[in-house]
Amino acid sequence: MILSSVIPFEFLGQPSPALFCTHIVEDTPILVRDFIHKALYDPNVGYFSQKSASVGVLDRSIKFNNFEGRKAYMKHLDKIYKQSDVSWFTPVELFKPWYAHGIAESILRTTNLSVPLKIYEIGGGSGTCAKGILDYIKLNAPTRVYDNISYTSVEISSPLAAKQIRTVGEVDSHLSKFRVEHRDATDRNGWGDVHEQPCWVIMLEVLDNLPHDLIYSENQTSPWMEVWVERKQGEKLSELYRPIQDSLIKSCMEVVDMPDATTGGSGVMKNIWAKVFPKPRWCWLPTGCLKLLEVLHGALPKMSLIASDFSYLPDVKIPGERAPLVSTKKDGSSSDYNSYLDAKGDADIFFPTDFLLLEQMDHYCSGWMKQQKDGEPLKRGKKRRTLSLDTAAFMEEFGLPTKTRTRDGYNPLLDDFKNTKFYLSVPTHNIK
């Protein structure tokens, strides 16, 4: 499963010099998040650099109502995969324009239309979502809403940025509302001054490819350690464990509220149990997501956020909570690796999104949890109203499910994406 709308995260912490070498890891050990970043995004050896056609773009919308049922749809899907020789079609592409229309409807129902509508999309891929949203608003919102809309795509890839202009430009009137900023959305400097006006931020299938950090503990009572990746001999890679020092890892552990985060556990029975039955522990931390949310809340304090991604991944072989799936595709068949260290530019690395933790990070970065920990009175309310919905529930509420249903009632949008969710987060005035 390869996702096009993904942004490299070179800013995460202080990047080691190894990030700019020709190999995944050179002589200097690097944090796991830096290893993942290079394995995916390095311009010379990164997976997305080498697999530029990993994500497909459909020439036309699929006519779901023409299929008798699941068998006919799957046959058609297999055909278009083989014809395009791609690894993955994003949901917004498979179900265009209906997927984007559902997102547009959720925005129109939630936003204050008395002020100009401003939308940012992070990692806009081929522009399919942007065009679908602008199409829907032009046809269904008051004329003044469409006339005053501003839609900005923040895109790190120059080829995709150019593609988005062509896609959105298929409707002439959209071009005056749409622009692409070719930059890294996680660079705070790129956002300029703080934007105090209300706006929307859209992130579709972005979270799963954000770099994560890994922490390790020898047993149930041992302190957590940072995991680094080092190269021993030739291209052989191994893990290196160091005491927790990285500030981003510390912040993420604080949000997760991990017990015994930097010290060993306590309790006589717990210590005895750990000695008799020692059990190593691994935990993956979404440090890339935390940093992105920090930047967004700092630059757009009144933003409303809508994100969609995998809530879980099946058949993950790599140990640890929130562990990734590392998958490669060759000659039309996919295979999964047993270790993330095996990904050397030839495999996708993607993570499930813990939506409860996403909500906690959202509140943390908006300032509420920090204020609580700094001694603010408990009666101070949260600064965000949040909601997580299964994709089926979201599309039944805001979309047009009849458009993606086959003649016998099978609906791939509702039935085949059980492991995906939407997250909505809007500011609230309940802060006194």
Side-chain angles (χ1 to χ4, degrees):
M1 299 177 181
I2 317 300
L3 300 165
S4 62
S5 51
V6 180
I7 301 172
F9 277 69
E10 295 179 352
F11 73 97
L12 293 179
Q14 292 297 320
S16 72
L19 286 178
F20 305 101
C21 298
T22 56
H23 300 288
I24 297 293
V25 181
E26 286 292 326
D27 297 330
T28 305
I30 58 177
L31 281 166
V32 169
R33 69 169 179 255
D34 293 333
F35 173 81
I36 292 173
H37 170 271
K38 190 171 186 185
L40 292 177
Y41 306 113
D42 183 89
N44 297 315
V45 298
Y47 176 76
F48 288 109
S49 300
Q50 300 184 65
K51 304 285 186 179
S52 59
S54 58
V55 182
V57 177
L58 296 176
D59 293 334
R60 60 184 66 86
S61 299
I62 297 175
K63 305 298 183 183
F64 296 92
N65 300 153
N66 291 342
F67 299 120
E68 180 61 34
R70 187 176 191 276
K71 183 177 180 180
Y73 166 71
M74 294 303 293
K75 183 178 180 181
H76 176 75
L77 195 61
D78 181 63
K79 178 182 176 181
I80 60 177
Y81 266 108
K82 289 179 178 178
Q83 287 177 341
S84 55
D85 191 29
V86 299
S87 300
W88 177 246
F89 286 102
T90 58
V92 75
E93 192 70 35
L94 275 180
F95 302 104
K96 65 180 180 185
W98 317 115
Y99 197 91
H101 287 186
I103 295 170
E105 175 63 20
S106 71
I107 292 174
L108 290 179
R109 286 197 212 172
T110 311
T111 197
N112 177 8
L113 296 178
S114 65
V115 298
L117 180 56
K118 189 175 185 64
I119 299 174
Y120 294 95
E121 184 179 0
I122 296 178
S126 62
T128 298
C129 180
K131 181 180 182 299
I133 288 177
L134 289 170
D135 286 346
Y136 189 87
I137 290 176
K138 181 177 182 179
L139 292 174
N140 295 279
T143 302
R144 59 178 173 78
V145 174
Y146 177 74
D147 288 344
N148 294 297
I149 193 173
S150 169
Y151 197 117
T152 302
S153 173
V154 181
E155 178 58 61
I156 194 70
S157 166
S158 54
L160 286 177
K163 174 63 175 174
Q164 290 168 26
I165 293 291
R166 293 194 298 270
T167 299
V168 175
E170 291 173 8
V171 178
D172 291 340
S173 62
H174 290 348
L175 284 178
S176 62
K177 331 288 184 188
F178 180 77
R179 67 174 179 172
V180 178
E181 295 183 0
H182 179 214
R183 60 181 175 88
D184 184 345
T186 62
D187 182 356
R188 178 61 183 86
N189 294 327
W191 294 95
D193 296 334
V194 175
H195 302 269
E196 293 288 352
Q197 66 270 34
C199 65
W200 278 86
V201 174
I202 299 172
M203 297 190 296
L204 304 183
E205 292 79 47
V206 168
L207 302 175
D208 66 328
N209 279 129
L210 299 188
H212 283 51
D213 271 290
L214 178 61
I215 55 176
Y216 167 79
S217 173
E218 288 184 352
N219 56 52
Q220 299 91 317
T221 61
S222 298
W224 288 104
M225 309 282 281
E226 298 175 353
V227 180
W228 293 63
V229 180
E230 63 177 348
R231 182 167 61 91
K232 293 254 177 150
Q233 295 179 348
E235 287 299 311
K236 184 176 177 57
L237 302 178
S238 62
E239 293 181 342
L240 177 66
Y241 310 117
R242 295 176 175 175
I244 301 291
Q245 293 182 337
D246 181 76
S247 59
L248 194 54
I249 292 177
K250 286 182 178 180
S251 295
C252 205
M253 293 177 75
E254 179 183 353
V255 178
V256 177
D257 194 21
M258 299 183 67
D260 308 322
T262 57
T263 60
S266 60
V268 175
M269 290 304 297
K270 187 174 182 180
N271 282 304
I272 293 175
W273 185 264
K275 290 179 181 179
V276 177
F277 300 103
K279 184 179 180 181
R281 298 181 293 170
W282 289 269
C283 183
W284 292 87
L285 299 174
T287 45
C289 178
L290 179 63
K291 185 62 178 180
L292 175 58
L293 289 173
E294 285 181 346
V295 169
L296 291 175
H297 279 293
L300 310 170
K302 294 183 180 179
M303 74 165 179
S304 295
L305 173 67
I306 182 167
S308 68
D309 229 303
F310 299 105
S311 56
Y312 69 88
L313 296 171
D315 305 321
V316 174
K317 300 178 180 180
I318 296 170
E321 188 175 2
R322 295 179 292 271
L325 194 61
V326 181
S327 180
T328 187
K329 189 170 184 178
K330 186 177 182 180
D331 298 328
S333 61
S334 298
S335 60
D336 299 337
Y337 289 153
N338 293 320
S339 171
Y340 70 95
L341 294 175
D342 293 332
K344 299 182 177 70
D346 63 342
D348 189 13
I349 307 172
F350 53 105
F351 295 82
T353 295
D354 182 334
F355 279 80
L356 178 59
L357 179 54
L358 175 61
E359 181 184 38
Q360 292 172 332
M361 290 190 293
D362 189 20
H363 288 307
Y364 179 88
C365 293
S366 70
W368 178 73
M369 287 182 66
K370 293 177 183 177
Q371 291 162 351
Q372 299 298 307
K373 292 178 182 296
D374 290 343
E376 291 287 334
L378 291 176
K379 64 180 181 180
R380 189 180 182 91
K382 293 182 179 180
K383 298 174 72 174
R384 311 288 296 176
R385 288 185 291 123
T386 60
L387 176 67
S388 294
L389 289 172
D390 292 338
T391 295
F394 179 90
M395 288 300 171
E396 286 174 335
E397 177 65 29
F398 299 111
L400 289 171
T402 57
K403 298 294 187 179
T404 55
R405 191 166 59 204
T406 62
R407 290 197 293 264
D408 69 355
Y410 162 70
N411 193 322
L413 177 56
L414 306 185
D415 300 335
D416 290 354
F417 286 80
K418 300 290 188 183
N419 65 332
T420 62
K421 286 185 177 182
F422 274 83
Y423 176 74
L424 294 91
S425 171
V426 300
T428 177
H429 299 293
N430 181 28
I431 58 174
K432 293 184 180 180

